Amino acid sequence: MLSALRLRLALLPQIRLLGPHSLRAAHSHEGQVSRSDGSELLYYDHRAFPLPDIPFQTELSSQQVTLKERERGPWKQLSQEDKISLYHIKFNQTYAEINRPSNEWKTVFGAIFIFFGLTGLIVWWQRVYVYPPQPHTLADDWKAMQIRRMLDMRVSPIQGFSSNWDYEKNEWKK
């Protein structure tokens, strides 16, 4: 049992899951960097991470290869178009293009209004077809009779309901 465990521990550095090679690969950007789960990194533009781990274009054309060779020389010899094309080899969008406002808010508000509309239709349908009719005790004439009965019974005459009623004038106090 102990020898099998020792054999596994000796095998881990050989397959680069444990040891200095795995640390160096995890903390360097030489060649193709891979994630901890072993998958290959993808390029994406995001304002929170303006410097992606891999370049936008990994396979270069012959014109781009010659431009990359000229990049190693003095930059004053490069034209503005060459510098821009070098930038677009590494990055798809500039930081200003990433921060450019989009029309996504229209989609979000549209979805919210559709959700509210569907919710309103469901509430209307439930009110018409699901809920029973309102009880007669919620009608205005029934409420008026109930208030008159509470006043006749003198409910809470000191601080409550009946304290706001003037019994001599037969109206609410002002």
Side-chain angles (χ1 to χ4, degrees):
M1 182 70 162
L2 187 61
S3 63
L5 181 64
R6 192 173 294 161
L7 182 64
R8 284 186 198 151
L9 287 175
L11 186 63
L12 288 176
Q14 291 175 359
I15 58 174
R16 294 187 178 192
L17 288 177
L18 186 67
H21 299 291
S22 62
L23 285 173
R24 191 175 14 218
H27 295 290
S28 70
H29 293 282
E30 297 175 11
Q32 198 73 10
V33 182
S34 62
R35 294 189 180 134
S36 60
D37 64 349
S39 64
E40 191 175 315
L41 287 176
L42 301 173
Y43 176 87
Y44 61 96
D45 287 324
H46 196 273
R47 88 174 84 183
F49 306 106
L51 299 173
D53 290 330
I54 61 173
F56 174 62
Q57 295 180 353
T58 54
E59 298 175 5
L60 301 177
S61 66
S62 61
Q63 186 181 21
Q64 291 172 336
V65 170
T66 57
L67 190 60
K68 287 292 273 183
E69 290 172 3
R70 288 180 49 206
E71 176 187 25
R72 294 185 183 136
W75 274 60
K76 293 196 182 225
Q77 293 177 357
L78 294 175
S79 66
Q80 189 67 23
E81 292 82 21
D82 292 341
K83 292 176 185 177
I84 290 172
S85 60
L86 279 171
Y87 180 85
H88 284 293
I89 290 173
K90 181 75 175 166
F91 304 105
N92 183 28
Q93 295 178 329
T94 63
Y95 198 65
E97 291 172 344
I98 293 171
N99 288 331
R100 183 182 56 229
S102 68
N103 291 330
E104 186 180 7
W105 66 272
K106 294 177 185 177
T107 306
V108 171
F109 274 102
I112 289 171
F113 290 141
I114 288 172
F115 176 74
F116 283 157
L118 291 175
T119 303
L121 286 174
I122 290 170
V123 168
W124 171 80
W125 178 81
Q126 287 179 342
R127 193 169 197 181
V128 171
Y129 295 106
V130 176
Y131 296 132
Q134 288 186 342
H136 66 281
T137 55
L138 293 178
D140 290 336
D141 57 342
W142 184 272
K143 288 180 185 177
M145 290 187 315
Q146 186 177 13
I147 289 172
R148 188 69 217 174
R149 183 168 181 259
M150 289 174 71
L151 291 173
D152 291 342
M153 292 174 51
R154 296 184 185 246
V155 174
S156 299
I158 298 172
Q159 292 181 341
F161 187 74
S162 296
S163 66
N164 297 325
W165 182 257
D166 189 358
Y167 286 96
E168 295 172 359
K169 296 180 182 175
N170 213 15
E171 63 183 22
W172 293 105
K173 294 179 183 176
K174 296 178 183 175

